[in-house]
Amino acid sequence: MKLFADDSNLFLYETSLSNLHHRANLSLTCLSKWFLANRLSLSIDKTCYSIFGNRHDSFIPNLQVEINGKAIQRIECCKYLGIYIDNNFSWRKHRDYVHKKLIKFTSIFYKIRNKLNCDILKLFYFAFVYLHLLCGIEIYGNTCYSFINKLEKLYNKILKILQNKCLGTHIIERYKHYNTLPVTDLHLYQMLLFVH
């Protein structure tokens, strides 16, 4: 059981789907009783479940998971502490989420880059770009490069916009100027920090 503010998450592991189904319903019955005993309410409409299994499984059937006789919806992807986790761990949805957040800034940065000095633009980079890239990169950064490549291209474009240097400036110089790294290297760096 993982609790964060008013968000409750139950993680169960079993080797067979039938055992998982039985344990899930039993656990949810216990949780429902605990909520009732502690005068807390559970929003069944917002309650859902996902099955994370072997990505090579061709078909995982829907399980009838219930709370107080009401069926819970099965979903393919959920947001957990700001990170979208899909049942195949492809991280596509999270990558698209970060990409969508960052793409909004490109036109803004184009408009302000000639109006603000370099130090302020660097602050904008760390406040609005770096922050979103770094959030959960230890997890989503481990996906295949073709998924990360979409983010890295946008990242490079944003650096070019903010630094407003001549077209011949190599991207490595742009990284050095902001003392940052490409997305794949940021992932590796954050993993090394975590292990250290």
Side-chain angles (χ1 to χ4, degrees), residues 30-49:
C30 291
L31 269 176
S32 179
K33 288 178 183 176
W34 186 89
F35 277 116
L36 187 63
N38 288 282
R39 298 176 190 232
L40 296 170
S41 62
L42 178 68
S43 178
I44 296 176
D45 294 338
K46 293 181 180 177
T47 304
C48 54
Y49 77 95

Side-chain angles (χ1 to χ4, degrees), residues 103-134:
I103 200 92
K104 292 177 186 175
F105 295 115
T106 54
S107 62
I108 296 168
F109 291 157
Y110 267 123
K111 291 173 186 170
I112 65 170
R113 69 180 179 174
N114 293 320
K115 295 179 170 85
L116 300 171
N117 71 35
C118 298
D119 294 331
I120 300 296
L121 290 173
K122 189 173 181 178
L123 288 174
F124 273 119
Y125 160 77
F126 280 102
F128 297 109
V129 177
Y130 189 75
L131 175 77
H132 291 299
L133 277 174
L134 219 54

Side-chain angles (χ1 to χ4, degrees), residues 4-106:
F4 185 79
D6 66 342
D7 198 13
S8 306
N9 292 275
L10 177 65
F11 295 91
L12 300 171
Y13 170 80
E14 285 293 341
T15 52
S16 76
L17 278 174
S18 60
N19 289 347
L20 180 65
H21 177 243
H22 176 71
R23 191 163 160 217
N25 282 314
L26 187 66
S27 298
L28 289 173
T29 300
C30 291
L31 269 176
S32 179
K33 288 178 183 176
W34 186 89
F35 277 116
L36 187 63
N38 288 282
R39 298 176 190 232
L40 296 170
S41 62
L42 178 68
S43 178
I44 296 176
D45 294 338
K46 293 181 180 177
T47 304
C48 54
Y49 77 95
S50 286
I51 299 175
F52 304 100
N54 186 341
R55 69 177 64 194
H56 302 296
D57 289 344
S58 57
F59 175 71
I60 297 176
N62 277 331
L63 304 178
Q64 188 65 29
V65 180
E66 299 177 345
I67 296 178
N68 300 329
K70 293 183 181 175
I72 299 174
Q73 177 189 7
R74 179 178 171 185
I75 58 169
E76 302 296 316
C77 184
C78 64
K79 192 174 184 182
Y80 180 64
L81 299 178
I83 298 172
Y84 284 94
I85 305 172
D86 60 276
N87 59 350
N88 293 322
F89 298 111
S90 71
W91 309 108
R92 180 178 287 151
K93 172 96 175 177
H94 186 74
R95 182 222 39 206
D96 291 344
Y97 169 73
V98 174
H99 189 273
K100 188 176 176 183
K101 278 198 159 202
L102 297 183
I103 200 92
K104 292 177 186 175
F105 295 115
T106 54

Side-chain angles (χ1 to χ4, degrees), residues 6 17-18 22 38 43 58 79 124 145 152 174 179 183 185 187 192-193 196:
D6 66 342
L17 278 174
S18 60
H22 176 71
N38 288 282
S43 178
S58 57
K79 192 174 184 182
F124 273 119
Y145 181 72
E152 197 151 290
R174 296 178 195 274
N179 195 25
V183 178
D185 292 342
H187 167 252
L192 290 170
L193 284 176
H196 180 71

